[in-house]
Amino acid sequence: MRMDIAMNVHVTDKRPLALRMENITKRFRGVVALDQVSFDLQAGEVVALVGENGAGKSTLMKILSGAYQCDGGKIELFGKMLARANPQQILDLGVAVIYQELLLANDLTVAENIYLGRLPKTRSGLIDWNAVHAGARRAIARLGFDIASDAKVGDLSVAHRQIVEIAKAMSRDARIVVLDEPSAVLGDSELQSLFGIIAKLAEEGVSFIYISHRLEEIFAISHRTVVLRDGRCVAIAKTGDLTKDKLVKMMVGREMSSVYPDRQPRIGPPALSVQNLTNPWLKDTSLTVRQGEILGVCGLAGSGRTELLRALCGVDGAKSKSFTCGDLNSMPTSPKQALAHGIGLLPEDRRHQGLFIEQDLAFNIAIAGLGAIRRRGFLSRRAETRMAKAYIDQLRVKTPGPRETIGNLSGGNQQKCVLAKLLNAGCKVLLIDEPTRGVDIGARREIYQLLVDLADRQGLAIIIVSSELPEVIGLCDRTLVMRAGRITGELMRGEMSEERIMHAATD
Amino acid sequence: MAMQFQDHDGAKTFGTSQGILQFLMRRAAISGLLMALIVLVVISALISDAFLSPYNLINVLRQVALYGIVSIGLTFVILTAGIDLSVGSIVAVVSVSTAMLLNIGVPVPVVILAGLAAGTAFGLINGLGITLLQIPPFIMTLGAMVMLRGFALTLADGRPIDVTSTANNFSWIGGANMAGMPVAVWIFLAVAALSFLVLHYTDFGRHIYAVGSNAEAARLSGINVPGTKLGVYTISGLLAGLTALIFVSRLTVGEPTAGTGLELEAIAIVVIGGASLFGGVGGVVGTTIGACILAVLANMMNLVGISPFTQQIVKGAIIIVAVSLEVLRRRR
């Protein structure tokens, strides 16, 4: 329900400037990544930075953080022109960048992380632990949270780790905070508290640059929006003057009538059916998904939605009263067995669970179904290349070729390759956890289209777990809502609305 | 890169040969390594007249074979992001027991099989500790290294065991020539070719790269991760056993101190060959070139008369330089 989170922060036009970036240009080996980008940021203002992957958002932020030096342009920070500066100096000047993959030391405590690299010392030169913990508690309390300062960061939830990152930035007196896709790892209630913190700190005069692919959030939190496309700044506007359609059009440079493709569902017999699925995270969960059906599963983070998919494909152990999927009549006990019977998982965390990052596309696509490229007992490189090329064409993967290292691809194209891996493995039931996480809006549409084609034309059964309700409503024939490991609601196409889903997920 | 696009039409005609070339180039960043080896060979030939003599070259090849076989075993392990420190000690135990078996008159084929089986068994035990008991590979094989060394010393009572039985054809493995090359070199070539085949043309090979690249993604892709790990440690043990047989055959003595430091030498070779200790990157071709580089270097320094002590300094420096070049190349 991201739309409901409206912030009532009023920014007068007379605030001092915190940052001005002017005509920033950056080239990589002759390729222009940023072309004379200018924008400014007032004290206490929240500016959203949007654009497709590759539009130049992260390059711009890396220049701000000192990780890259720009080839042209000027940066004015708190009224002072910035000459060449390294990341440490920028940090000292009060700019903190909080990356999507949080840079915390998981084995250290909250307090140690907050004071990492600048632990206060007593007069004798030893660490002043009292000051460390007191300071850490203060920094977290300021954000309105209660996290033990001696807790190990690795034991915290992702949301709390993010709070620690922000507390760390604040305790360094950061006056500009860059948040790079903070919502990717947060559930809805956690996101609300993050927005609360942003609003609170903005009122105290801290400026934010908020990067996100989720447009609802931008409308909820930002005062102004800066749109980048192909390394140029195509618009800077008051967020209140924009609409979602306008924003999408500016980001992709073309009209996008609807992000969600039309469905022509032809729903067949049951493809997978399970009764009374139980394990430590799931309680008597039953469901059936049919051939050609796209079934959504919604719920807050921790509701058991991811665990449901993991149980169905044999990653986590689980018991059930009955299980049927094709000729398989008992719960799969390993991903290997699940795949052998056509059940494949597209995991939530692509980098850590889906990709073989050093390997090429063909390797990544072939690995779960090597039988497809076996010729006379041995794997054929030629057959592999041909197979990979076919998927590259079918799924419209943008790449120089099947031998490109997969790490060089954008998130959307990587996602397509993981999907191709499951298709090559012969999957008939796709379990998809967050299909468009970290995928830009242009590629999102393509992935939606692919999923719809797989269901409507090829009769695959697809279960989608997503925290983005519009995605579920736009794609699915039916939606199950989960809460605390149980299914608490079932909505058919036409009955689905964000309100009804949230109602079933939270009551 | 540019070539790839220019030769778009040509690629069809010369598909295979170009494909193989590209494959080799990519797989282990071979081009740079090969260049380094060629430069080293040229320098050696210029510095010493003796270097290019057939006798000397065969000596170098024999050295390559001896270290290369163990290094290929270790390549399998390192590709899965593992490590095997026990190979040197496995060589010692198998050397000693091989000499003892020969001395009590056990037939040569049985001795050979026993040696290979012992190596395989030690590797399997390493693998079981790492997969079933989930002991970190470094610790498991470190323990095995120390234990097996002690085992070898105990068996031999701390002394070298001379192979006394005269009427055997065992020395053929390490000593004889076949088609102008030492049998040991042929064995190495066979091991290398077979390993290349396994790594690139079988499911098991793919699984090795996948497990080393991302074990969790491998599991979710239906790969038997523990089985794959078990396989690589077993192979490493088997090839250590094979090396021991060549050792004993060549030297006609079972040394309980044989293979001391061999594991480190082999790790150096694998890493110089372009493999990543984090797994998923590396291969037989790179390792073979790595073995050649170290062998040529050692040989050249011997010919020039550089003291063994100085040689160690140079060797260590080469390892660091080779890896930093590789790191730089990747970063670009």
Side-chain angles (χ1 to χ4, degrees):
Chain A
M1 294 290 289
R2 296 167 201 266
M3 302 266 224
D4 292 354
I5 317 163
M7 292 290 123
N8 298 313
V9 186
H10 302 287
V11 177
T12 58
D13 291 330
K14 295 293 171 200
R15 297 258 192 146
L17 265 191
L19 167 73
R20 189 207 303 279
M21 297 184 90
E22 213 175 298
N23 297 326
I24 302 293
T25 300
K26 175 76 184 169
R27 286 178 221 94
F28 290 109
R29 285 190 245 167
V31 180
V32 178
L34 288 175
D35 187 6
Q36 309 218 339
V37 173
S38 303
F39 82 100
D40 56 36
L41 181 66
Q42 294 170 12
E45 191 185 23
V46 181
V47 165
L49 185 58
V50 300
E52 292 194 86
N53 283 347
K57 295 177 308 236
S58 40
T59 310
L60 189 63
M61 289 305 105
K62 280 183 177 161
I63 287 171
L64 173 60
S65 73
Y68 293 161
Q69 302 293 337
C70 54
D71 299 320
K74 287 185 280 190
I75 303 175
E76 193 184 318
L77 203 55
F78 308 116
K80 272 178 268 175
M81 291 305 295
L82 202 64
R84 284 182 167 262
N86 65 34
Q88 187 59 47
Q89 289 164 328
I90 300 276
L91 203 60
D92 294 341
L93 286 171
V95 179
V97 182
I98 297 178
Y99 293 100
Q100 194 176 347
E101 280 162 18
L102 303 174
L103 302 174
L104 292 171
N106 282 339
D107 292 328
L108 300 184
T109 64
V110 169
E112 286 169 306
N113 267 286
I114 287 177
Y115 282 100
L116 203 62
R118 51 188 188 105
L119 288 162
K121 305 276 161 52
T122 60
R123 213 171 303 156
S124 52
L126 299 174
I127 294 168
D128 185 352
W129 286 110
N130 290 331
V132 170
H133 283 279
R137 275 195 295 271
R138 252 196 324 275
I140 289 168
R142 182 179 168 200
L143 303 180
F145 272 78
D146 182 22
I147 304 171
S149 65
D150 57 354
K152 254 193 194 171
V153 163
D155 297 336
L156 299 180
S157 70
V158 182
H160 277 181
R161 285 183 219 178
Q162 200 145 29
I163 304 297
V164 173
E165 274 273 23
I166 296 174
K168 182 176 164 185
M170 288 303 113
S171 79
R172 286 174 181 272
D173 293 324
R175 285 185 287 158
I176 297 176
V177 178
V178 180
L179 292 164
D180 187 3
E181 292 238 28
S183 59
V185 290
L186 296 184
D188 283 288
S189 59
E190 297 158 346
L191 191 66
Q192 296 213 23
S193 43
L194 175 67
F195 281 3
I197 292 171
I198 293 176
K200 186 170 181 293
L201 293 173
E203 270 180 51
E204 294 173 21
V206 179
S207 312
F208 285 87
I209 297 176
Y210 190 94
I211 301 176
S212 180
H213 280 124
R214 297 183 180 170
L215 303 185
E216 291 88 348
E217 294 170 12
I218 285 156
F219 286 104
I221 192 68
S222 71
H223 305 118
R224 280 191 303 153
T225 301
V226 177
V227 185
L228 291 186
R229 187 172 77 226
D230 302 329
R232 286 166 205 268
C233 178
V234 291
I236 299 180
K238 279 214 170 106
T239 309
D241 298 341
L242 292 171
T243 64
K244 206 171 153 185
D245 285 343
K246 258 194 206 168
L247 200 51
V248 170
K249 193 182 160 192
M250 286 193 285
M251 283 166 63
V252 299
R254 63 193 126 88
E255 199 78 52
M256 192 166 279
S257 51
S258 162
V259 184
Y260 302 103
D262 289 336
R263 298 269 334 259
Q264 275 117 31
R266 282 178 305 182
I267 292 173
L272 181 152
S273 166
V274 63
Q275 299 293 322
N276 302 87
L277 186 60
T278 302
N279 73 7
W281 305 278
L282 301 168
K283 297 176 185 83
D284 286 326
T285 308
S286 302
L287 68 87
T288 299
V289 60
R290 294 169 171 274
Q291 291 175 14
E293 183 181 32
I294 303 183
L295 174 65
V297 176
C298 297
L300 303 175
S303 63
R305 48 185 197 181
T306 293
E307 289 75 10
L308 175 64
L309 296 192
R310 288 173 63 91
L312 289 179
C313 69
V315 180
D316 296 334
K319 281 189 187 139
S320 68
K321 199 190 262 174
S322 74
F323 181 96
T324 318
C325 177
D327 53 354
L328 182 65
N329 286 311
S330 60
M331 287 295 295
T333 52
S334 68
K336 184 176 175 169
Q337 194 192 9
L339 271 169
H341 291 88
I343 308 169
L345 173 70
L346 194 143
E348 184 180 12
D349 184 342
R350 196 161 47 235
R351 204 172 181 89
H352 294 112
Q353 304 176 321
L355 295 174
F356 303 96
I357 209 86
E358 304 93 346
Q359 314 297 341
D360 59 27
L361 264 75
F363 180 101
N364 273 277
I365 296 174
I367 191 70
L370 293 172
I373 58 166
R374 204 177 291 127
R375 301 282 181 274
R376 280 181 250 115
F378 289 103
L379 303 182
S380 155
R381 220 177 136 71
R382 191 179 296 189
E384 183 186 35
T385 307
R386 202 179 308 131
M387 177 277 295
K389 269 191 184 142
Y391 280 112
I392 288 170
D393 290 345
Q394 188 198 334
L395 307 190
R396 270 164 282 151
V397 182
K398 288 187 199 78
T399 168
R403 295 296 162 194
E404 181 72 11
T405 304
I406 201 155
N408 297 342
L409 266 55
S410 71
N413 286 310
Q414 288 177 346
Q415 190 75 326
K416 289 178 186 175
C417 291
V418 183
L419 191 59
K421 170 172 78 178
L422 299 182
L423 298 178
N424 179 56
C427 289
K428 299 286 176 244
V429 179
L430 299 179
L431 312 176
I432 301 184
D433 202 352
E434 301 289 356
T436 58
R437 173 160 294 173
V439 171
D440 63 58
I441 211 147
R444 261 177 203 215
R445 204 200 130 85
E446 290 185 22
I447 286 177
Y448 295 145
Q449 184 68 55
L450 283 172
L451 294 177
V452 165
D453 286 348
L454 289 172
D456 292 356
R457 296 213 194 137
Q458 299 183 32
L460 267 62
I462 301 178
I463 302 181
I464 290 177
V465 161
S466 174
S467 46
E468 292 203 47
L469 301 184
E471 184 169 281
V472 173
I473 295 169
L475 285 180
C476 297
D477 298 302
R478 187 160 58 98
T479 295
L480 302 175
V481 185
M482 293 189 73
R483 187 176 72 237
R486 292 173 198 279
I487 289 172
T488 53
E490 176 170 7
L491 298 163
M492 302 304 290
R493 181 174 270 276
E495 301 176 340
M496 291 181 223
S497 69
E498 301 203 17
E499 287 74 20
R500 294 177 87 156
I501 293 173
M502 286 311 288
H503 188 73
T506 50
D507 266 10
Chain B
M1 273 299 151
M3 256 184 37
Q4 211 182 341
F5 294 114
Q6 278 169 12
D7 286 1
H8 197 267
D9 290 345
K12 277 179 189 141
T13 350
F14 307 109
T16 355
S17 63
Q18 202 196 11
I20 289 171
L21 192 72
Q22 252 183 27
F23 173 65
L24 291 178
M25 304 262 277
R26 289 254 173 96
R27 273 292 146 166
I30 305 301
S31 44
L33 273 177
L34 209 53
M35 284 292 275
L37 178 60
I38 291 168
V39 168
L40 200 59
V41 167
V42 169
I43 292 175
S44 307
L46 290 175
I47 292 181
S48 162
D49 295 338
F51 179 77
L52 283 181
S53 73
Y55 174 80
N56 185 57
L57 282 182
I58 281 183
N59 231 345
V60 172
L61 283 180
R62 209 193 296 273
Q63 198 73 8
V64 169
L66 219 47
Y67 286 113
I69 293 173
V70 173
S71 303
I72 285 175
L74 213 66
T75 304
F76 279 87
V77 172
I78 287 177
L79 277 173
T80 66
I83 196 78
D84 187 351
L85 298 175
S86 68
V87 286
S89 297
I90 293 179
V91 168
V93 173
V94 175
S95 294
V96 168
S97 48
T98 298
M100 291 171 87
L101 289 178
L102 287 170
N103 284 350
I104 59 172
V106 177
V108 171
V110 178
V111 172
I112 291 175
L113 282 181
L116 296 179
T120 307
F122 293 137
L124 190 66
I125 291 169
N126 278 335
L128 288 173
I130 288 158
T131 54
L132 280 188
L133 305 179
Q134 309 219 329
I135 303 169
F138 188 95
I139 304 297
M140 181 66 209
T141 59
L142 178 71
M145 167 177 120
V146 177
M147 271 178 71
L148 291 175
R149 178 68 63 192
F151 195 40
L153 288 164
T154 311
L155 261 183
D157 204 13
R159 286 186 298 270
I161 297 178
D162 286 320
V163 178
T164 49
S165 65
T166 43
N168 73 58
N169 45 2
F170 187 69
S171 59
W172 180 80
I173 304 174
N177 280 6
M178 226 174 76
M181 275 218 280
V183 173
V185 174
W186 289 113
I187 295 177
F188 165 70
L189 288 177
V191 167
L194 204 62
S195 301
F196 186 85
L197 190 75
V198 168
L199 280 179
H200 299 301
Y201 295 98
T202 68
D203 291 22
F204 177 55
R206 287 307 173 89
H207 292 174
I208 289 171
Y209 279 96
V211 167
S213 206
N214 186 340
E216 181 59 12
R219 186 169 83 98
L220 294 179
S221 302
I223 291 168
N224 179 351
V225 177
T228 307
K229 288 186 179 170
L230 205 58
V232 297
Y233 289 97
T234 307
I235 289 174
S236 180
L238 166 68
L239 293 180
L242 179 59
T243 303
L245 295 176
I246 299 173
F247 251 93
V248 177
S249 163
R250 172 98 183 123
L251 306 172
T252 65
V253 61
E255 286 261 20
T257 55
T260 306
L262 181 62
E263 61 285 331
L264 300 181
E265 190 91 7
I267 293 170
I269 285 172
V270 176
V271 167
I272 288 176
S276 158
L277 289 177
F278 298 113
V281 178
V284 173
V285 181
T287 296
T288 303
I289 299 177
C292 292
I293 288 178
L294 275 195
V296 170
L297 195 74
N299 181 259
M300 175 184 72
M301 292 193 289
N302 280 335
L303 290 177
V304 181
I306 295 175
S307 95
F309 305 147
T310 317
Q311 287 193 22
Q312 287 198 20
I313 300 175
V314 175
K315 223 189 252 176
I318 293 283
I319 295 169
I320 293 171
V321 170
V323 174
S324 36
L325 285 178
E326 179 63 13
V327 170
L328 280 177
R329 194 188 67 83
R330 289 232 176 93
R331 201 180 292 161
R332 254 190 289 131

